[in-house]
Amino acid sequence: MTELQATKSERASGGKAAVGRLFVLELSGGRIHTMNTDGSDRKTIVSDCRNCDGIVVDVEAGHIYWTNMGVPSLNDGSVERADIDGKNRKVIIPEGGTFTPKQIHLDKKNGKLYWCDREGMRVMRANLDGSKIETLVETGRGDADRHDQTKWCVGITIDPQREQIYWSQKGPDNAGLGRISSTNTEIPRGETATNRTDIAVLFDGLPEPIDLELDERNRVLYWTDRGDPPRGNTVNRTPIDVKPKSGDMPEIVLTHLMEGIGIALDVPGNRMFVTDFAGSIYSARLDGSQSRNFLYAQGNLTGIAYAEL
């Protein structure tokens, strides 16, 4: 969000009003759509994606990046880049460079892409051109561990101010074994992705936490949960500068989703946008009020990004 806000200011000072756009991934159709924040002026800009899941927008460079899960049993996930209009499509992380990449996050300041690798059981990053692929966290390895869904890494965001990574591990369907953890963006000296000692669990026993977004201005972490009610099919949030006490539960701000997946924040506009697997796109204020389902039955929707263009 910081990069998008900076871009908005630059455009405003140049006398050109920025316009908010959504970028939405349709898993079932293998397509990427862009639209206004009310669902109007919808365009399909990319087709033939291989189980697309996460998306980010680099407004300044004029690029979108997205993950392709591929076929989970084949270890053939990839990451692609294209211009904001979908042209000049390019694979930057080739098939097999990551197992099943999920949500992706842009660290524009440091020129990095972060993503979670589900069946790969990893938190990963690379340069914006796909070079220097790194594994920062590895929760398991091999086929035996891969069958343990508590080890699967799904959603991700970073806090550049504290140099922290936050990620979710959803666990089996509706098992109440999901968790959200944090760690430093750099592995401690002398440690590895498998044995690093700086990992902290923020919340455990969650239904199925999926995608995460950070409100850097107000220091609040948001995420979707696709598990069963009452705590699932929700958007949750928690302050990140206060360590949760034992037994604390996150605040639920949005309910009645149908397997919530993607989330994007427009902090200056005091609003969030959420997708679910039933094909709906919702908008609401950051506190969950004034919720509106403005598109529905749009296929199986996964990632969503908001940008000021």
Side-chain angles (χ1 to χ4, degrees):
M1 291 299 302
T2 301
E3 294 301 323
L4 299 185
Q5 291 167 24
T7 303
K8 180 179 179 180
S9 297
E10 291 165 7
R11 288 176 177 269
S13 63
K16 182 178 179 180
V19 177
R21 296 285 290 184
L22 297 176
F23 295 79
V24 180
L25 300 182
E26 181 197 344
L27 175 70
S28 50
R31 298 180 290 185
I32 301 177
H33 308 284
T34 182
M35 63 192 74
N36 291 327
T37 56
D38 60 359
S40 64
D41 191 33
R42 176 175 169 177
K43 303 172 183 177
T44 299
I45 55 173
V46 177
S47 300
D48 300 318
C49 299
R50 301 181 64 254
N51 291 328
C52 47
D53 190 87
I55 184 168
V56 290
V57 183
D58 183 347
V59 176
E60 184 180 34
H63 291 147
I64 57 173
Y65 298 86
W66 71 94
T67 60
N68 297 304
M69 292 185 291
V71 180
S73 62
L74 298 182
N75 187 12
D76 63 350
S78 62
V79 179
E80 294 190 64
R81 185 190 76 195
D83 294 343
I84 283 179
D85 60 5
K87 297 178 181 178
N88 298 316
R89 182 174 176 179
K90 179 181 181 181
V91 176
I92 60 169
I93 304 292
E95 293 183 13
T98 180
F99 209 115
T100 40
K102 299 289 284 179
Q103 189 180 15
I104 189 168
H105 182 87
L106 171 68
D107 176 8
K108 179 67 174 179
K109 178 181 178 181
N110 296 299
K112 295 289 184 179
L113 293 168
Y114 288 78
W115 70 92
C116 271
D117 185 345
R118 191 178 65 188
E119 273 85 349
M121 299 168 287
R122 296 174 289 190
V123 174
M124 306 183 72
R125 75 178 173 193
N127 292 333
L128 300 186
D129 62 0
S131 63
K132 197 180 179 182
I133 301 174
E134 300 174 85
T135 296
L136 302 174
V137 176
E138 188 170 25
T139 60
R141 184 177 296 182
D143 289 339
D145 283 347
R146 208 170 342 270
H147 287 98
D148 181 355
Q149 295 183 30
T150 63
K151 299 182 183 297
W152 289 3
C153 303
V154 181
I156 190 168
T157 192
I158 68 166
D159 177 4
Q161 179 176 318
R162 292 178 55 187
E163 298 183 335
Q164 290 276 297
I165 306 167
Y166 297 87
W167 78 96
S168 64
Q169 294 169 230
K170 83 174 191 68
D173 293 351
N174 302 310
L177 297 176
R179 62 172 51 182
I180 294 177
S181 303
S182 67
T183 195
N184 296 313
T185 53
E186 303 299 330
I187 299 175
R189 187 180 299 274
E191 299 182 359
T192 69
T194 59
N195 68 10
R196 59 188 301 170
T197 58
D198 58 343
I199 294 175
V201 177
L202 273 68
F203 290 102
D204 208 343
L206 301 175
E208 289 184 70
I210 307 294
D211 282 3
L212 291 79
E213 282 291 310
L214 178 62
D215 172 356
E216 295 180 36
R217 176 186 294 179
N218 299 301
R219 313 292 298 155
V220 177
L221 182 68
Y222 289 75
W223 68 91
T224 55
D225 194 304
R226 68 179 292 185
D228 282 346
R231 298 213 64 88
N233 281 317
T234 55
V235 173
N236 303 258
R237 69 178 181 180
T238 190
I240 60 170
D241 293 332
V242 179
K243 185 177 180 180
K245 298 178 181 178
S246 178
D248 282 356
M249 296 301 291
E251 178 188 5
I252 295 174
V253 295
L254 196 63
T255 60
H256 297 93
L257 305 177
M258 295 295 288
E259 298 192 64
I261 304 290
I263 182 168
L265 304 182
D266 169 20
V267 175
N270 186 27
R271 54 185 178 172
M272 70 174 83
F273 302 94
V274 180
T275 59
D276 69 20
F277 215 56
S280 292
I281 306 178
Y282 303 82
S283 64
R285 291 186 176 274
L286 293 178
D287 64 3
S289 64
Q290 298 185 24
S291 172
R292 186 167 70 94
N293 179 352
F294 61 86
L295 280 180
Y296 57 91
Q298 301 298 309
N300 300 134
L301 302 183
T302 50
I304 185 171
Y306 169 82
E308 298 274 2
L309 304 179

